[in-house]
Amino acid sequence: LRHAADPLQVTCSSSFAMLWLMPRLPRLHRNHPELEIKLIAEFQNVDRQGLQASGTHCAIRYDPIAYRALQAVDPMPETLMPVASPGYLASHGSLDTPAQLAGHTLLHDANAWDDIASGVEWQLWLDEVWGAALGQPAAGQQHFNLSTLALAAARNHQGVAMGRAALISEDLQAGTLVAAHPRQIRSSARYVFLSTHGQDPRVKVLLGW
């Protein structure tokens, strides 16, 4: 009965919600049982007017955008590395050189962030690790509108996905996904915590957690 009249409304991408936030929510509830959250999965760009109109208290986004009209805190950078199932790598071979790309199917998050071309994360990795362009591998490419789907395809032995460290940690620990190449690079995008209700103590509690 002493809870706030409305829950703290938080929006973030489906992939971040399912693969990073959901496994950690029980700990949040144990530490802050008074914090009632309404979690909404979405990944489009946000602005001050949109947050206020929807009644959203805060949003978490993965992108390289410089937000100037919102209170923005960057709590977590992101790194990228190619991952696949152990079974896929056993049957398709390693990914040690650019020439070996031809024997693999590349799995893409086609909407890594708003208004960006599909394949951007693979291209970032190829540029930094090999100075190579993203061509057309002989085994083809598959595109998904959620990182969650690309990783699910990788778990099911369909190819190599470009994994974000925050989203693949559980899989790496369980062994359902393994590194197809050991090199990690810093992504040009990062996770950013956005709000217009800086005076709301619940926003500060969530950000601090």
Side-chain angles (χ1 to χ4, degrees):
L1 292 175
R2 288 194 297 270
H3 284 185
D6 59 328
L8 187 70
Q9 186 161 304
V10 183
T11 74
C12 63
S13 74
S14 302
S15 298
F16 185 81
M18 288 188 280
L19 299 178
W20 191 92
L21 188 55
M22 293 300 289
R24 292 163 174 81
L25 276 181
R27 190 171 74 228
L28 172 64
H29 293 320
R30 284 196 302 270
N31 294 344
H32 300 284
E34 79 287 355
L35 198 61
E36 183 181 353
I37 291 177
K38 179 180 181 180
L39 184 61
I40 298 174
E42 61 181 21
F43 55 81
Q44 65 267 30
N45 287 344
V46 294
D47 55 27
R48 173 175 288 274
Q49 182 178 1
L51 287 184
Q52 291 175 331
S54 64
T56 299
H57 296 88
C58 50
I60 302 169
R61 290 294 184 272
Y62 171 72
D63 59 41
I65 297 170
Y67 291 92
R68 307 193 192 284
L70 293 167
Q71 298 179 51
V73 178
D74 296 358
M76 189 163 61
E78 185 56 289
T79 56
L80 304 172
M81 65 182 295
V83 293
S85 70
Y88 175 87
L89 289 181
S91 61
H92 290 77
S94 60
L95 185 60
D96 300 321
T97 67
Q100 291 171 319
L101 281 172
H104 292 277
T105 298
L106 303 189
L107 309 174
H108 298 282
D109 178 358
N111 300 101
W113 55 87
D114 249 9
D115 303 321
I116 196 68
S118 183
V120 63
E121 290 179 311
W122 264 107
Q123 188 59 71
L124 286 168
W125 190 87
L126 290 169
D127 281 342
E128 185 160 332
V129 176
W130 288 327
L134 179 62
Q136 178 66 30
Q141 305 184 56
Q142 295 183 34
H143 301 263
F144 306 89
N145 75 326
L146 294 173
S147 185
T148 310
L149 298 177
L151 293 175
R155 285 188 214 103
N156 286 280
H157 326 298
Q158 296 176 33
V160 186
M162 187 51 61
R164 300 171 197 156
L167 306 186
I168 61 175
S169 61
E170 304 280 333
D171 280 298
L172 293 178
Q173 290 176 15
T176 50
L177 292 175
V178 296
H181 189 284
R183 181 77 182 276
Q184 296 187 36
I185 69 161
R186 177 68 68 89
S187 174
S188 60
R190 85 295 190 210
Y191 295 100
V192 57
F193 186 99
L194 305 163
S195 68
T196 60
H197 299 66
Q199 74 283 2
D200 191 319
R202 297 176 300 169
V203 172
K204 295 180 180 178
V205 167
L206 180 62
L207 178 57
W209 174 79

